[in-house]
Amino acid sequence: MRTSLWFLPCRRSVLSFGSALRGLNVLRHGAPHPGRPRKWVGGLASARPRSRSGRCYPRGGRAERSCPAVDPEQGPGQGSRMLNVPSQSFPAPSSQQRVASGGRSKVPLKQGRSLMDWIRLTKSGKDLTGLKGRLIEVTEEELKKHNTKDDCWICIRGFVYNVTPYMEYHPGGEDELMRAAGSDGTDLFDQVHRWVNYESMLKECLVGRMAVKPALPKDYHEEKKVLNGMLPKSQVADTLAKEGCSSPSYDWFQTDSSVTIVIYTKQKDINLDSVIVDHQDDSFRAEILIKDYSYIIHVELSHEIEEDFSVRVVENVGKIEIVLKKKENASWKRLGHPLENHNSLIPRKDTGLYYRKCRLISKEGVTHDTKLFCLMLPPSTHLQVPVGQHVYLKLTITGDFVSVSNPEGSFKISQFQELEDLFLLAAGTGFTPMVKILNYALTNIPSLRKVKLMFFNKTEDDIIWRSQLEKLAFKDKRFDVEFVLSAPTSEWNGKWGHISPALLSEFLKRSSDKSKVLICICGPTPFTEQGIRLLRDRNFSKEEIHSFTA
C-alpha cells in the first residue's frame, strides 16, 4: 500500500478552503529508495505561517515561542509608516546604544527638512549623488577630496555615500556629519546610532564601493581577512557579478541582554522565506538564500544564549537582523569561533542537506491511503519553505521526532510576474506543490485571469480535498477544477483516462491569444515526462512549463 503523508499547521481552526491553503504542507512519496531520504513537497506551515494582516502565528501553533513580524515598510514601532522609526523599548534603556547616544543633542531643522520631506526627496527621481545613476569604485585618495559641507562623501562599512543633500535633514546637525567627511565613518556611526537603517535612508545617495578596504573598527574580533564580516571581494564578487548580485556581508553588535547579527544581502527580493536559522547546542548557523547561492554564517558562539530568537527582514534593502538573547548579561569580546563554511557564498547545489529534529504532534487519516501529520519545529529554528519548493525527511521507525532538511527546488516566484493564465496538472499526491501555488496565485497576482487544475487519480476515493476544491471553484470564478479517473466506477460521470492530447487540447485554452501562460506539472515520473512531451508538442516553450521533480 502506498503511504502519503500530509502536513498541516497545528493551528487548524480554518473556516474556508482558502485559509486552509495558506498553511497546507504535504509529503509525497512512493516506495522509499534505499538510503534516500523521503521528499516533502510544500511549505512547513509550523514555521510561522502569516495571516493576511502580516502577523506571524507562533511556530507549530503554540504560544511558547512567537517571533514578532514587522512590515518591511514599517519601523518596529506601533504601526508607524515612517522608515526606521524604533519603538521606545529599542534600544533597551540600559543598552550601549542609549548610553552612546545619551549625550548627543538634536538641532532644530529648517521648515521642510523633516524625515518625511527627506523620503519625498529620495523618491522624487532627483540625482542625489551627482553621478547620474552611475556607481563607481572609490579610492581612499578620492574619498578624502570630498570633505566639505558642499561636497561631503562618507564611507560606512565599505560603501560610500554622498551625504551633501542630506546635510540639512540630519537631526544631529551638519557638524555631526562633518566629523566623518571624506573618511570612513563606520566607528563614529556605530558609537552614535548603530541601529539606524542607513542603507534605506541613504540608498539614493550611494556613490559606490571602496576600491580598498577602510580601516578596521575598534571592536574588530573576527577573522583577520574580514572587515565587520565583509567578504573579501576576490572570493565572491566575480561570481555574483555574473548573477547581478552585490557581495553579501555581515556584522554584529550587542546590548546588555542581546546580540544582534546583521546580514547585508544588497538584494531587494529577500524575505523571511530566504532566511534559515538553526541554533543547536553551541552552534549557530544562518543560511541566506540568494538566487542560486547560499550565504552562510556558521559559528560556535562564545557565550550561551536562550533558545528563542527573532528574525526581521527589511525587504527594500535586503537587510536581515537576527536578535539572540543572552543567558548572562556579560559583554562578548567576539561572536564566536568560525565553523564549516562560515562567511562563505557557495552554490546551493553544493551546500548539502542540513537537518533539524521536529516533533510529531499529531496524525490522522485523510483518505484510505493518505494521512495528515502535524510537525512542530524546535524553538531554536527559523524555517519557512518557499512556494514551489520541498524538503527531505529522515524518518525513524519509533519515536516522536522527524528530521527535516533545508528547502530545495528550482521554482521562483518571479515566474508569476504579469501572469494571466495558470494551468496545473497534478496526479495523485503530485497535488502537493499545487496547494501553495494555487493559494499564492489567487491571493497575490493581480494580473491573473484564469487558474485551472486538472487532477488525475485512480478512483474517486483517491481524490484529495475534492469538496474543498469544488467549494473554492464556486467561490472564486477565476478557478476551475477537473477530475480525471483512470479506473472509475460505472457511476462516474466525469472525465476518465490518462494524460493525453485530447484531454490537454480542451483544457489548455488561453484567456486571449497573447496571454502570458505558466503550466505546472507534478506526479509520478512517467506522468510528468509524458506531460512535458505533450506540452512541447503543443508548442509551449520551456519558460512556460515548470515540472516539480526531486
Side-chain angles (χ1 to χ4, degrees):
M1 182 199 311
R2 181 184 64 187
T3 303
S4 300
L5 305 181
W6 282 37
F7 290 83
L8 197 69
C10 294
R11 176 176 294 185
R12 292 199 297 270
S13 56
V14 293
L15 301 178
S16 67
F17 180 56
S19 56
L21 279 177
R22 279 194 288 278
L24 181 66
N25 311 280
V26 186
L27 165 69
R28 65 180 184 85
H29 62 268
H33 187 283
R36 180 181 296 169
R38 289 169 172 173
K39 177 184 175 185
W40 177 15
V41 187
L44 190 60
S46 54
R48 305 195 318 164
R50 289 186 180 182
S51 71
R52 289 186 180 179
S53 64
R55 297 184 178 88
C56 292
Y57 298 124
R59 280 180 170 78
R62 293 190 169 188
E64 66 263 8
R65 169 153 190 238
S66 61
C67 292
V70 180
D71 189 325
E73 299 298 328
Q74 298 182 8
Q78 298 295 320
S80 170
R81 301 303 292 181
M82 291 187 180
L83 293 174
N84 200 45
V85 182
S87 68
Q88 293 302 311
S89 60
F90 184 85
S94 60
S95 75
Q96 296 171 359
Q97 297 165 27
R98 285 196 184 274
V99 171
S101 61
R104 183 173 64 96
S105 60
K106 295 185 177 181
V107 300
L109 299 175
K110 298 178 182 178
Q111 188 173 2
R113 295 297 184 270
S114 68
L115 174 60
M116 292 308 300
D117 292 317
W118 171 251
I119 293 172
R120 280 191 285 269
L121 177 61
T122 61
K123 294 184 177 183
S124 66
K126 185 176 180 180
D127 179 16
L128 300 182
T129 64
L131 298 175
K132 297 181 180 179
R134 292 182 300 116
L135 292 178
I136 63 174
E137 283 197 337
V138 183
T139 64
E140 287 190 55
E141 292 74 19
E142 181 65 25
L143 178 63
K144 290 177 181 178
K145 296 177 183 177
H146 303 271
N147 61 359
T148 67
K149 289 184 178 181
D150 296 327
D151 183 15
C152 182
W153 290 9
I154 293 176
C155 173
I156 303 177
R157 292 188 177 85
F159 291 89
V160 179
Y161 298 89
N162 181 356
V163 299
T164 311
Y166 183 61
M167 283 282 183
E168 293 184 341
Y169 297 84
H170 184 233
E174 298 179 0
D175 292 341
E176 190 73 13
L177 283 179
M178 287 302 298
R179 293 172 62 190
S183 65
D184 178 11
T186 304
D187 280 350
L188 182 60
F189 175 83
D190 289 345
Q191 290 169 17
V192 178
H193 38 41
R194 191 168 188 163
W195 50 267
V196 168
N197 183 6
Y198 67 90
E199 299 105 315
S200 177
M201 295 287 291
L202 299 176
K203 63 181 179 180
E204 300 301 327
C205 299
L206 180 63
V207 172
R209 182 174 180 144
M210 287 295 293
V212 294
K213 295 179 182 178
L216 296 177
K218 295 176 182 178
D219 63 348
Y220 173 75
H221 291 284
E222 297 297 323
E223 303 92 326
K224 292 182 179 179
K225 295 183 179 179
V226 179
L227 169 64
N228 273 346
M230 185 74 73
L231 280 171
K233 187 177 179 182
S234 59
Q235 289 185 17
V236 298
D238 293 341
T239 302
L240 285 175
K242 297 176 184 177
E243 301 291 327
C245 302
S246 300
S247 302
S249 61
Y250 82 97
D251 198 354
W252 69 280
F253 61 92
Q254 60 183 307
T255 68
D256 291 342
S257 58
S258 67
V259 170
T260 300
I261 299 172
V262 186
I263 300 170
Y264 307 95
T265 68
K266 303 299 179 184
Q267 305 299 307
K268 292 187 177 181
D269 55 353
I270 297 295
N271 52 43
L272 285 171
D273 288 353
S274 309
V275 184
I276 305 166
V277 182
D278 289 280
H279 173 229
Q280 299 182 15
D281 299 323
D282 293 331
S283 170
F284 173 85
R285 187 181 189 274
E287 182 174 345
I288 315 302
L289 310 180
I290 306 174
K291 299 187 184 297
D292 294 325
Y293 293 84
S294 288
Y295 177 58
I296 298 174
I297 303 297
H298 195 191
V299 296
E300 180 183 342
L301 295 173
S302 60
H303 293 70
E304 291 186 344
I305 62 172
E306 302 288 351
E307 276 192 330
D308 59 322
F309 54 84
S310 64
V311 179
R312 176 176 179 258
V313 175
V314 184
E315 293 187 18
N316 57 344
V317 293
K319 183 172 80 169
I320 300 162
E321 294 178 351
I322 305 169
V323 182
L324 313 177
K325 297 179 181 178
K326 296 180 179 179
K327 275 196 172 180
E328 297 180 356
N329 292 344
S331 178
W332 293 19
K333 293 185 178 180
R334 63 191 182 100
L335 182 60
H337 178 73
L339 297 176
E340 182 182 11
N341 292 328
H342 172 60
N343 198 25
S344 62
L345 186 87
I346 54 183
R348 290 181 63 183
K349 61 183 178 64
D350 297 333
T351 59
L353 294 176
Y354 188 88
Y355 288 86
R356 72 279 302 149
K357 283 187 176 181
C358 298
R359 182 180 293 276
L360 177 61
I361 302 301
S362 64
K363 55 183 176 181
E364 60 187 70
V366 177
T367 68
H368 67 97
D369 65 351
T370 303
K371 291 186 181 297
L372 175 70
F373 276 53
C374 179
L375 295 178
M376 184 175 69
L377 280 170
S380 54
T381 292
H382 169 87
L383 170 65
Q384 295 181 178
V385 181
V387 173
Q389 297 198 15
H390 61 268
V391 299
Y392 291 93
L393 303 183
K394 286 182 180 178
L395 304 175
T396 54
I397 302 300
T398 59
D400 295 329
F401 289 91
V402 177
S403 294
V404 179
S405 78
N406 282 0
E408 287 193 342
S410 58
F411 187 86
K412 293 180 173 59
I413 291 294
S414 58
Q415 293 174 250
F416 283 142
Q417 288 180 359
E418 299 179 1
L419 186 66
E420 295 172 87
D421 297 332
L422 175 61
F423 298 101
L424 309 176
L425 298 170
T429 50
F431 170 65
T432 304
M434 307 307 178
V435 176
K436 292 190 76 172
I437 293 286
L438 182 57
N439 177 59
Y440 185 92
L442 290 174
T443 56
N444 294 283
I445 307 177
S447 59
L448 194 67
R449 296 183 182 180
K450 180 196 304 183
V451 182
K452 294 183 71 175
L453 168 66
M454 182 170 279
F455 196 179
F456 293 81
N457 286 278
K458 187 176 181 180
T459 69
E460 284 188 76
D461 291 338
D462 294 320
I463 301 175
I464 299 169
W465 268 18
R466 178 180 179 180
S467 62
Q468 290 93 330
L469 287 167
E470 290 173 338
K471 287 177 183 176
L472 180 63
F474 178 78
K475 181 180 178 182
D476 194 323
K477 299 306 179 185
R478 296 173 298 170
F479 175 63
D480 185 39
V481 59
E482 297 180 11
F483 302 108
V484 182
L485 302 183
S486 60
T489 62
S490 57
E491 289 80 18
W492 177 251
N493 295 320
K495 295 182 178 179
W496 59 276
H498 298 276
I499 189 168
S500 64
L503 285 173
L504 292 183
S505 63
E506 184 180 348
F507 177 71
L508 299 170
K509 291 183 178 179
R510 299 173 184 256
S511 57
S512 65
D513 292 340
K514 296 183 179 180
S515 62
K516 184 177 179 181
V517 171
L518 178 63
I519 306 170
C520 296
I521 182 169
C522 187
T525 301
F527 170 85
T528 302
E529 292 178 348
Q530 173 70 358
I532 292 174
R533 282 194 293 270
L534 294 175
L535 293 172
R536 295 275 175 82
D537 290 344
R538 295 188 60 80
N539 298 319
F540 287 102
S541 67
K542 219 173 180 181
E543 292 72 26
E544 293 174 324
I545 304 170
H546 184 91
S547 61
F548 293 95
T549 57

XYZ file of all heavy atoms in Angstrom, residues 360-394:
275
model
N 6.732 15.268 16.170
C 5.462 14.871 15.579
C 4.357 15.143 16.597
O 4.324 14.554 17.673
C 5.494 13.388 15.199
C 4.209 12.792 14.631
C 3.822 13.493 13.340
C 4.377 11.292 14.407
N 3.452 16.051 16.270
C 2.409 16.475 17.207
C 1.164 15.613 17.092
O 0.568 15.212 18.089
C 2.043 17.956 16.969
C 3.293 18.838 17.118
C 0.956 18.401 17.935
C 3.940 18.738 18.478
N 0.743 15.317 15.859
C -0.469 14.524 15.677
C -0.483 13.904 14.293
O 0.259 14.322 13.399
C -1.719 15.397 15.865
O -1.773 16.396 14.855
N -1.343 12.892 14.124
C -1.546 12.295 12.798
C -2.967 11.760 12.720
O -3.528 11.265 13.690
C -0.530 11.187 12.527
C -0.483 10.077 13.554
C 0.611 9.092 13.218
C 0.748 8.011 14.302
N 1.838 7.061 13.994
N -3.561 11.874 11.546
C -4.933 11.431 11.356
C -5.147 11.062 9.896
O -4.441 11.535 9.000
C -5.930 12.515 11.774
C -5.791 13.816 11.007
C -6.677 14.921 11.556
O -6.398 15.416 12.659
O -7.640 15.282 10.855
N -6.130 10.200 9.632
C -6.400 9.771 8.272
C -7.136 10.831 7.470
O -7.968 11.564 8.003
N -6.829 10.918 6.181
C -7.500 11.851 5.274
C -8.283 11.071 4.224
O -9.473 11.293 4.017
C -6.486 12.795 4.601
C -7.182 13.711 3.604
C -5.739 13.608 5.636
N -7.601 10.149 3.515
C -8.273 9.204 2.618
C -7.802 7.807 3.011
O -7.064 7.641 3.981
C -7.933 9.492 1.135
O -6.552 9.198 0.900
C -8.207 10.937 0.778
N -8.180 6.806 2.198
C -7.843 5.427 2.554
C -6.341 5.164 2.529
O -5.859 4.224 3.162
C -8.558 4.449 1.605
C -8.069 4.533 0.185
N -7.139 3.687 -0.337
C -8.391 5.401 -0.807
C -6.906 3.998 -1.603
N -7.662 5.046 -1.912
N -5.564 5.977 1.820
C -4.111 5.764 1.796
C -3.335 7.060 2.041
O -2.191 7.195 1.638
C -3.677 5.139 0.462
C -3.914 6.053 -0.724
O -4.570 7.112 -0.539
O -3.450 5.737 -1.825
N -3.962 8.016 2.695
C -3.313 9.300 2.965
C -3.524 9.676 4.425
O -4.636 9.548 4.944
C -3.906 10.413 2.076
O -3.782 10.042 0.710
C -3.168 11.729 2.303
N -2.462 10.114 5.070
C -2.551 10.537 6.468
C -2.092 11.980 6.606
O -1.238 12.442 5.869
C -1.698 9.629 7.367
C -2.250 8.221 7.499
C -1.452 7.426 8.516
C -1.990 6.009 8.630
N -3.375 5.965 9.127
N -2.678 12.651 7.564
C -2.336 14.038 7.868
C -1.426 14.061 9.093
O -1.804 13.588 10.159
C -3.604 14.846 8.149
C -3.406 16.289 8.608
C -2.880 17.138 7.472
C -4.731 16.862 9.100
N -0.225 14.581 8.929
C 0.739 14.688 10.020
C 0.954 16.154 10.363
O 0.975 17.003 9.481
C 2.098 14.086 9.618
C 2.192 12.601 9.792
C 1.238 11.772 9.233
C 3.242 12.022 10.487
C 1.323 10.409 9.371
C 3.331 10.650 10.636
C 2.371 9.839 10.080
N 1.135 16.434 11.634
C 1.461 17.791 12.070
C 2.793 17.754 12.797
O 2.975 17.015 13.766
C 0.374 18.333 12.992
S 0.721 19.992 13.606
N 3.755 18.531 12.311
C 5.085 18.614 12.913
C 5.303 20.000 13.499
O 4.790 20.993 12.993
C 6.175 18.359 11.863
C 6.232 16.978 11.233
C 7.333 16.930 10.185
C 6.459 15.909 12.283
N 6.105 20.080 14.548
C 6.451 21.373 15.132
C 7.959 21.557 15.113
O 8.715 20.696 15.576
C 5.946 21.482 16.570
C 6.193 22.860 17.179
S 5.460 23.038 18.830
C 6.486 21.926 19.778
N 8.401 22.675 14.559
C 9.827 22.990 14.555
C 10.325 23.221 15.976
O 9.573 23.667 16.844
C 10.089 24.264 13.747
C 10.136 24.132 12.231
C 10.165 25.510 11.607
C 11.331 23.328 11.789
N 11.613 22.947 16.231
C 12.171 23.309 17.542
C 12.175 24.824 17.705
O 12.257 25.566 16.706
C 13.597 22.745 17.483
C 13.901 22.580 16.037
C 12.606 22.286 15.364
N 12.081 25.325 18.931
C 12.045 26.782 19.139
C 13.335 27.474 18.716
O 13.350 28.685 18.536
C 11.809 26.915 20.650
C 12.254 25.622 21.225
C 11.969 24.578 20.202
N 14.406 26.693 18.527
C 15.692 27.279 18.147
C 15.909 27.245 16.637
O 17.043 27.309 16.162
C 16.832 26.527 18.845
O 16.747 25.130 18.580
N 14.819 27.158 15.866
C 14.911 27.102 14.401
C 13.937 28.088 13.773
O 12.802 28.220 14.220
C 14.613 25.684 13.879
O 15.650 24.796 14.264
C 14.499 25.665 12.354
N 14.404 28.783 12.744
C 13.523 29.577 11.884
C 13.607 28.974 10.489
O 14.689 28.921 9.896
C 13.966 31.040 11.827
C 13.261 31.820 10.755
N 12.056 32.446 10.954
C 13.583 32.046 9.452
C 11.673 33.024 9.829
N 12.582 32.793 8.906
N 12.482 28.502 9.957
C 12.462 27.876 8.639
C 11.088 28.047 8.030
O 10.079 27.718 8.641
C 12.804 26.385 8.755
C 12.604 25.526 7.497
C 13.566 25.976 6.397
C 12.798 24.060 7.809
N 11.040 28.578 6.822
C 9.819 28.649 6.027
C 10.149 28.138 4.637
O 11.147 28.554 4.045
C 9.284 30.082 5.958
C 8.846 30.619 7.310
C 8.295 32.027 7.239
O 7.879 32.580 8.237
N 8.289 32.632 6.054
N 9.335 27.230 4.125
C 9.604 26.655 2.810
C 8.960 27.530 1.743
O 7.747 27.733 1.750
C 9.072 25.218 2.715
C 9.386 24.628 1.341
C 9.699 24.356 3.814
N 9.753 28.070 0.812
C 9.184 28.944 -0.228
C 8.178 28.217 -1.112
O 8.195 26.991 -1.229
C 10.430 29.367 -1.033
C 11.583 29.169 -0.102
C 11.215 27.990 0.735
N 7.319 28.978 -1.747
C 6.332 28.423 -2.670
C 7.040 27.602 -3.748
O 8.024 28.042 -4.340
C 5.518 29.552 -3.335
C 4.603 28.998 -4.428
C 4.697 30.297 -2.293
N 6.538 26.382 -3.966
C 7.077 25.547 -5.033
C 8.339 24.797 -4.677
O 8.930 24.137 -5.541
N 8.793 24.865 -3.416
C 9.985 24.122 -3.017
C 9.609 23.020 -2.036
O 8.485 22.940 -1.557
C 11.028 25.070 -2.422
C 11.513 26.099 -3.436
C 12.820 26.759 -3.034
O 13.544 26.307 -2.162
N 13.131 27.857 -3.700
N 10.564 22.133 -1.756
C 10.294 20.966 -0.932
C 11.421 20.768 0.068
O 12.476 21.385 -0.029
C 10.160 19.709 -1.807
C 11.411 19.396 -2.582
N 11.620 19.862 -3.861
C 12.528 18.698 -2.262
C 12.802 19.456 -4.297
N 13.370 18.743 -3.343
N 11.195 19.893 1.034
C 12.236 19.484 1.967
C 12.305 17.962 1.967
O 11.411 17.280 1.448
C 11.980 19.988 3.403
C 11.931 21.503 3.448
C 10.708 19.389 3.972
N 13.379 17.428 2.529
C 13.519 15.985 2.694
C 13.357 15.627 4.159
O 13.680 16.421 5.042
C 14.883 15.517 2.195
C 15.043 15.608 0.695
C 15.606 16.736 0.104
C 14.622 14.570 -0.130
C 15.738 16.825 -1.276
C 14.762 14.653 -1.513
C 15.322 15.784 -2.079
O 15.457 15.871 -3.430
N 12.869 14.415 4.403
C 12.678 13.935 5.765
C 13.521 12.694 6.022
O 13.735 11.883 5.124
C 11.214 13.566 6.009
C 10.144 14.633 5.781
C 8.788 14.075 6.155
C 10.450 15.890 6.559
N 13.995 12.583 7.244
C 14.594 11.346 7.731
C 13.633 10.785 8.772
O 13.406 11.406 9.805
C 15.960 11.612 8.371
C 17.077 11.924 7.393
C 18.376 12.117 8.150
C 19.536 12.445 7.216
N 20.787 12.670 7.973
